[in-house]
Amino acid sequence: MFKTLKVPIGVVIALSMSVLAISVAVVTKVEHNNAIEDILLKNTSALSDELARQLAVVMEQSPGNKTLHNKVFQSLRGNPNVLSATFYDNNYRVLSSVEQSNIKPEVLSDIPNKPQSIPFGVTRYGSAMVAHQLIGSSLYPLGHVVIYVDVDGALTQGSKKTLFNQVPVIMVVWILCVAICMLCIHLLITPLTTLKKFTQSVFESKDYSLRSSIVSGNEIGRLSNNINSLLDTIEVELLINFEQKQTLVDQQETMARLANFDSLTGLPNRQFVLDNLRLELARAKRNDEDIMLLFFDLDGFKGINDSLGHETGDLILIEVADRVQQLLRDGDLFARLGGDEFLVLPDRDVSTAAAESLATRLITAFDEPFELRGLSLTVGLSVGIANATDANYDLSELMSNADLAMYRSKARGRGSFTLFTPDMVESHKRKLHLANGIESGINNDEFVVHYQVKVNNNGYIIGAEALIRWQHPEFGLVMPNEFIPIAEQGGKITAITQWVIQRVCLDIPTIKHWASSSTFRVSINLSGHDLRNAHLFDFIYNTFSVNGINPENIEFEVTESAYLENFALSNKFFRRIGNMGCAIALDDFGTGYSSLSYLTQINIDTLKVDRQFVTEIQTSERSRLVTGAIIDLAKRLSLSVCAEGIENLEQWDYLKLHGCDSVQGFMFSKPIPLDQLLTLKAQYSVEEFS
Ligand code: C2E
Ligand code: CA
Ligand code: CA
């Protein structure tokens, strides 16, 4: 209510002072009245004594001189306090009297009418005083004097005078006291005001290092100390809070870094790049622009990790990040998505040509080997390129398109780039469909084996290769080149291999019967994945036993690369297969490994010259030389040679001339179902083809 305490305190003091002054005035008045009454009593007594004495003297000396008596008595006149006085003789007959003119009747109302009823001496009656005095002695009384004195009048008179004297003094004292009190209060309250201003400035400035300078032993001093202590505490708390906040901010930054950046390469990570890409896609869609995305992974990185250890793998990833970074411009986004997968988001030029040129630069940047720990390692890239419009600006579609394109590059033979085209999605869907249908395909007997005959130099059919097909309920006849890699990736190849082995075992009696040759061999293809399966040998052994198969009627074909990728396991597996009596052929020979030294260490009977060389026999000198060299090599190693893909007589002639033992090709027969195989005659003659 009041902005300052001074006002209520001042009011209280002024009121208190007023009460005090009034109390003093009242007490003084009462005391004063008592004193006046006392004096009046004494004076009245003295006056009546003196008057009686003077009248006694005059009456004794001049008896009967009434005039003189009257004169003495009348000396009372003029006494302001005497209301009236009466001079009686002994019988209370009035001899003389004095009376003021304006006596109020109520003043005398309490006094007895008869003077003889009034006792001697001074008696108080209400607001008046009556003195009854005997003139002369009690033995010889001469008369009586009765004097009526106005007590109230005297008191009123006195009070007025006192009041008149007291009021200015009281006023001055009152003002002085109030002023002194206000000064004291002001002096006492000033430190409080200073403290108030201090706390206000702390509040406004938020500067908790300020301290109150008020030093005193009183309550305000203690309050100031307490405020300073509170500020100490606040300052310490603030410091702790600040440090905690700083720690939190640091932690938040670390977490953001961890969340958004790859700790190995320091590149933005998947999370970061996806968040950015999402925004970029939205922006591009709004502005009707396009975005190009390059997605790549390292060829054979898993092999490096497995053979040289993860530390070397990590070093390569760091080098890859450095190399790619140097090719990019400011503003291009380059991120590691995880493992050996990286992504580049070019900043400005989003044309196909620019993306292709960048992909080429990326690939050629990796021609140079990595020099790590004394090793010289060459790592290639497979790049997939996709754009936002093809993906309808959808992030996951864009990523999956780039992924599809990259896998196309991988399938095409690595170190290459592929631009995404919408038909890849269809083929991907087909792939998925096939992958998911393999198991049910086996259970529903959707797979079939076709046989392609192998012919010796005399045109006799000496064997047949079992080649699987899938009679798919939706897609029709699906060829193995399409579904075998899918089955390999999906881990379902062994089921297929086992199915083929079983099928062949069931067909062998019929084929043997048709071929009427005890050395007739049926070839079964094995995948690289089969060689890693520890149970396959047992399966083969058991299936042969159950079906009464002579292992000498069976040949297993495995590609050169599959054999060498699992060299130790393959050697072990084929040694056991060979010991059992089966023949072993190295398929697609000449396409993969350039080092031939391993040939002396492996357990095979036949080299199968890859179809590519046979196809080019008439057109390529190089192919002719390679084919000749393979046959020559096989002879030196005491291996037989089979050439596949013979489509014309010229090819067959060339192969026969160079010592190839057997051939296989459309010229003789395409792979055909068993019932058709059984219709073939046992020997082909050259004349048939000329
Ligand atoms: P491959 O083992 O090299 O089989 C030979 C392939 O060449 C067969 O293709 C065959 O039809 C084809 N071919 C034979 N002669 C000629 C010719 O004169 N001209 C042409 N253009 N092609 C000829 P197919 O049956 O499509 O098999 C492709 C590949 O699928 C096989 O190559 C083999 O690697 C794999 N494969 C087939 N069946 C199986 C199987 O049961 N298991 C496994 N693991 N792989 C199989
Ligand atoms: Ca084969
Ligand atoms: Ca082959």
Side-chain angles (χ1 to χ4, degrees):
M1 188 165 80
F2 297 108
K3 281 196 172 168
T4 167
L5 281 176
K6 287 175 192 172
V7 175
I9 293 177
V11 170
V12 168
I13 286 174
L15 285 175
S16 309
M17 284 294 170
S18 304
V19 169
L20 192 70
I22 290 167
S23 308
V24 168
V26 168
V27 169
T28 311
K29 187 174 181 287
V30 170
E31 284 298 312
H32 183 256
N33 283 358
N34 288 343
I36 286 180
E37 267 184 56
D38 225 23
I39 290 166
L40 210 57
L41 188 80
K42 283 177 185 156
N43 284 353
T44 306
S45 172
L47 181 69
S48 61
D49 281 357
E50 182 60 24
L51 188 63
R53 195 188 55 78
Q54 282 181 11
L55 282 173
V57 171
V58 174
M59 285 173 85
E60 274 172 9
Q61 286 176 357
S62 313
N65 188 349
K66 288 187 179 174
T67 314
L68 184 65
H69 300 169
N70 209 28
K71 190 180 170 192
V72 171
F73 179 72
Q74 287 293 328
S75 67
L76 277 176
R77 201 177 290 276
N79 190 320
N81 293 326
V82 175
L83 289 170
S84 69
T86 312
F87 179 19
Y88 296 100
D89 64 9
N90 275 332
N91 298 317
Y92 288 100
R93 283 187 301 263
V94 176
L95 297 178
S96 179
S97 69
V98 173
E99 197 175 82
Q100 280 187 11
S101 55
N102 52 346
I103 300 170
K104 293 177 189 148
E106 66 268 13
V107 177
L108 303 175
S109 58
D110 294 341
I111 303 168
N113 288 334
K114 290 180 179 167
Q116 49 271 43
S117 305
I118 297 168
F120 289 105
V122 181
T123 308
R124 178 81 190 258
Y125 290 101
S127 55
M129 208 179 263
V130 181
H132 185 177
Q133 192 64 41
L134 190 70
I135 303 169
S137 68
S138 52
L139 290 177
Y140 299 105
L142 299 173
H144 298 265
V145 176
V146 178
I147 303 172
Y148 297 84
V149 173
D150 180 10
V151 178
D152 271 4
L155 288 178
T156 313
Q157 199 69 29
S159 291
K160 273 185 188 163
K161 221 164 150 188
T162 318
L163 201 65
F164 188 72
N165 290 333
Q166 273 180 349
V167 166
V169 177
I170 286 175
M171 284 296 287
V172 170
V173 171
W174 186 90
I175 290 169
L176 257 176
C177 284
V178 169
I180 289 170
C181 284
M182 290 311 290
L183 184 68
C184 291
I185 286 164
H186 174 73
L187 290 176
L188 285 171
I189 284 186
T190 300
L192 204 58
T193 314
T194 314
L195 206 55
K196 186 206 87 177
K197 281 185 187 154
F198 168 74
T199 50
Q200 185 72 25
S201 73
V202 170
F203 173 72
E204 279 166 6
S205 66
K206 304 269 182 284
D207 180 359
Y208 300 102
S209 64
L210 296 175
R211 291 294 175 271
S212 160
S213 56
I214 296 167
V215 182
S216 126
N218 62 18
E219 285 87 344
I220 298 176
R222 285 202 290 280
L223 182 62
S224 158
N225 276 344
N226 289 348
I227 288 175
N228 283 347
S229 304
L230 270 177
L231 286 171
D232 284 346
T233 314
I234 290 174
E235 220 185 347
V236 171
E237 287 293 323
L238 279 180
L239 198 71
I240 294 170
N241 273 357
F242 178 77
E243 281 170 2
Q244 283 176 344
K245 198 173 149 196
Q246 200 56 42
T247 316
L248 282 177
V249 167
D250 290 350
Q251 277 175 349
Q252 200 176 328
E253 276 175 11
T254 313
M255 278 165 73
R257 211 173 38 250
L258 285 177
N260 289 320
F261 290 89
D262 168 41
S263 54
L264 181 68
T265 58
L267 293 175
N269 63 11
R270 173 180 283 270
Q271 179 65 41
F272 181 89
V273 84
L274 291 190
D275 288 349
N276 262 275
L277 203 49
R278 202 171 284 117
L279 296 176
E280 283 293 306
L281 283 171
R283 189 188 53 76
K285 190 177 181 180
R286 259 197 324 276
N287 300 340
D288 204 17
E289 292 169 0
D290 203 357
I291 288 179
M292 270 288 170
L293 190 97
L294 280 86
F295 195 81
F296 67 84
D297 85 357
L298 308 181
D299 298 334
F301 183 71
K302 188 179 174 298
I304 292 176
N305 248 350
D306 291 348
S307 55
L308 300 174
H310 284 266
E311 274 178 35
T312 311
D314 285 353
L315 290 177
I316 287 183
L317 290 174
I318 293 168
E319 277 266 2
V320 167
D322 282 351
R323 258 188 214 191
V324 174
Q325 197 89 66
Q326 281 167 17
L327 290 177
L328 302 176
R329 292 176 304 191
D330 285 351
D332 293 345
L333 180 62
F334 175 37
R336 181 181 171 210
L337 296 181
D340 61 339
E341 287 182 347
F342 294 85
L343 180 149
V344 177
L345 194 70
D347 183 28
R348 282 176 294 271
D349 196 348
V350 294
S351 67
T352 309
E356 285 179 346
S357 135
L358 177 57
T360 312
R361 275 184 287 137
L362 281 176
I363 290 165
T364 45
F366 283 75
D367 289 346
E368 198 66 15
F370 291 93
E371 306 294 341
L372 291 172
R373 299 177 162 178
L375 292 171
S376 184
L377 299 167
T378 309
V379 179
L381 295 188
S382 294
V383 186
I385 306 170
N387 62 3
T389 42
D390 278 341
N392 287 322
Y393 298 94
D394 181 82
L395 177 62
S396 58
E397 204 175 324
L398 176 63
M399 294 295 281
S400 124
N401 290 354
D403 199 43
L404 280 178
M406 189 194 74
Y407 274 100
R408 277 296 166 102
S409 297
K410 277 219 181 295
R412 262 208 271 143
R414 309 185 159 190
S416 61
F417 69 83
T418 307
L419 203 68
F420 169 83
T421 49
D423 59 272
M424 287 178 193
V425 178
E426 272 314 307
S427 93
H428 180 63
K429 279 188 192 156
R430 181 175 158 109
K431 244 179 160 179
L432 275 182
H433 207 78
L434 290 175
N436 293 332
I438 290 174
E439 265 170 46
S440 61
I442 291 174
N443 295 334
N444 300 341
D445 249 348
E446 288 166 14
F447 289 95
V448 287
V449 165
H450 286 188
Y451 292 95
Q452 185 181 35
V453 292
K454 292 186 181 184
V455 176
N456 70 7
N457 286 343
N458 300 323
Y460 277 106
I461 296 176
I462 52 156
E465 181 175 1
L467 295 158
I468 191 171
R469 275 98 181 87
W470 186 353
Q471 193 62 55
H472 196 278
E474 236 175 276
F475 302 133
L477 196 69
V478 183
M479 298 306 276
N481 272 337
E482 186 178 2
F483 67 81
I484 292 288
I486 295 172
E488 285 177 339
Q489 278 168 26
K492 288 171 183 153
I493 187 65
T494 305
I496 289 182
T497 305
Q498 291 178 348
W499 182 86
V500 173
I501 292 169
Q502 226 150 12
R503 183 71 254 163
V504 170
C505 287
L506 293 174
D507 290 346
I508 281 237
T510 319
I511 296 172
K512 263 177 84 175
H513 183 259
W514 161 75
S516 64
S517 154
S518 58
T519 57
F520 193 93
R521 282 188 199 273
V522 175
S523 304
I524 296 173
N525 288 285
L526 292 181
S527 145
H529 293 254
D530 294 325
L531 305 179
R532 290 196 282 271
N533 185 335
H535 306 294
L536 186 64
F537 179 82
D538 294 339
F539 175 83
I540 292 169
Y541 185 87
N542 290 335
T543 314
F544 285 0
S545 305
V546 169
N547 293 286
I549 302 295
N550 178 0
E552 289 182 0
N553 289 132
I554 302 286
E555 180 183 56
F556 285 102
E557 293 187 9
V558 63
T559 61
E560 190 187 8
S561 50
Y563 196 115
L564 296 180
E565 268 170 23
N566 312 283
F567 191 71
L569 279 176
S570 307
N571 250 355
K572 190 178 160 203
F573 175 80
F574 285 118
R575 195 173 307 118
R576 296 175 80 188
I577 290 283
N579 289 343
M580 204 163 56
C582 298
I584 299 145
L586 205 56
D587 208 352
D588 302 346
F589 187 77
T591 49
Y593 284 69
S594 47
S595 159
L596 298 171
S597 56
Y598 70 90
L599 282 176
T600 54
Q601 300 166 35
I602 65 173
N603 214 332
I604 54 167
D605 306 286
T606 304
L607 282 185
K608 281 191 85 174
V609 182
D610 192 73
R611 181 155 58 88
Q612 178 195 326
F613 301 115
V614 176
T615 310
E616 291 172 0
I617 277 176
Q618 292 143 287
T619 52
S620 157
E621 174 65 16
R622 182 181 164 270
S623 289
R624 276 198 293 278
L625 287 174
V626 172
T627 310
I630 291 173
I631 297 169
D632 194 38
L633 178 75
K635 295 293 130 189
R636 283 168 203 268
L637 294 170
S638 309
L639 301 174
S640 74
V641 186
C642 173
E644 60 185 350
I646 285 79
E647 293 185 357
N648 58 51
L649 193 56
E650 217 174 308
Q651 290 166 343
W652 192 21
D653 283 343
Y654 182 88
L655 291 162
K656 277 197 285 191
L657 188 70
H658 286 81
C660 181
D661 301 298
S662 56
V663 288
Q664 178 186 351
F666 290 177
M667 188 177 89
F668 306 101
S669 166
K670 287 192 171 181
I672 45 176
L674 178 64
D675 53 345
Q676 288 181 35
L677 179 76
L678 301 180
T679 63
L680 294 182
K681 55 185 187 316
Q683 190 191 8
Y684 292 96
S685 66
V686 176
E687 291 73 42
E688 278 179 57
F689 307 113
S690 40

